[in-house]
């Protein structure tokens, strides 16, 4: 991934130049006026794989782009001021209206081509009272043989679901490009 080239300082608005700052090893946007160094880092996507007590998985059909109309796990960008766990719970509530108990991190997937890291937690649905949020057209429970595999929105969702379906113990940690 080639990050977007910044043109102006985020602190003072002066034009930046790209150079390797002292005590660094990468080219960064550096402001000649105030000296601010602008770092560009990956975005964190956080979410859950909600499971009913009978083993069914809760999926959301996206109401927004990208991949509107495709199925996904409840997930989204982590907000400043929240932990990864808090973000995963918030996204599950916002997108699926679902109350869950986190059971542990199950997937950490580096999405290199878009500069993101996806964190998915295995979660137990606390009840079956859920409803689509503003970013979901529909929310539904699926048995594994009913999962719409050809209609999944993202590769990270597929990898996470496949990891759960296979019953593989431990954390799925991988990178996709």
């Amino acid at each position: 991934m080639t990050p977007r080239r910044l043109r102006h300082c985020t602190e003072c608005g002066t034009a930046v130049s790209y150079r390797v700052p002292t005590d660094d090893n990468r080219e960064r946007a550096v402001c000649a006026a105030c000296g601010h160094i602008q770092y560009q880092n990956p975005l964190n996507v956080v979410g859950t794989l909600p499971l009913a007590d009978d083993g069914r998985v809760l999926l959301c059909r996206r109401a927004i782009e990208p991949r509107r109309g495709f199925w996904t796990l409840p997930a989204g960008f982590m907000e400043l001021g929240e932990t990864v766990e808090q973000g995963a719970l918030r996204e599950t509530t916002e997108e699926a209206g679902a109350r869950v108990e986190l059971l542990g991190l199950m997937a950490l997937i580096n999405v290199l081509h878009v500069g993101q890291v996806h964190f998915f937690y295995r979660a137990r649905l606390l009840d079956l009272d859920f409803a689509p949020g503003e970013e979901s057209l529909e929310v539904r429970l699926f048995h594994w043989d009913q999962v719409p595999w050809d209609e999944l929105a993202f590769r990270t969702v597929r990898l996470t679901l496949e990891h759960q379906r296979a019953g593989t113990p431990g954390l799925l940690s991988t990178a996709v490009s």
Side-chain angles (χ1 to χ4, degrees), residues 141-158:
L141 286 169
F142 291 92
H143 289 285
W144 288 106
D145 61 347
Q146 299 170 327
V147 169
W149 296 101
D150 293 336
E151 298 174 38
L152 295 177
F154 306 108
R155 187 169 173 204
T156 57
V157 169
R158 174 180 287 282

Side-chain angles (χ1 to χ4, degrees), residues 71-170:
W71 292 93
T72 189
L73 293 167
F77 291 109
M78 185 175 164
E79 298 288 347
L80 293 174
E82 68 184 3
T83 66
V84 177
E85 294 87 354
Q86 290 168 335
L89 290 170
R90 177 186 49 77
E91 286 292 342
T92 303
T93 301
E94 287 178 2
E95 294 189 5
R99 293 181 336 107
V100 297
E101 169 192 14
L102 297 182
L103 303 176
L105 184 64
M106 68 169 299
L108 186 156
I109 305 169
N110 297 281
V111 189
L112 302 175
H113 69 283
V114 292
Q116 296 175 0
V117 181
H118 293 204
F119 299 85
F120 287 101
Y121 285 84
R122 188 174 285 113
R124 183 177 72 81
L125 284 167
L126 297 176
D127 55 52
L128 298 181
D129 183 25
F130 50 82
E134 290 183 17
E135 296 181 3
S136 299
L137 296 169
E138 176 181 3
V139 181
R140 196 165 59 179
L141 286 169
F142 291 92
H143 289 285
W144 288 106
D145 61 347
Q146 299 170 327
V147 169
W149 296 101
D150 293 336
E151 298 174 38
L152 295 177
F154 306 108
R155 187 169 173 204
T156 57
V157 169
R158 174 180 287 282
L159 289 170
T160 302
L161 288 169
E162 287 172 345
H163 184 67
Q164 174 65 32
R165 184 179 191 189
T168 309

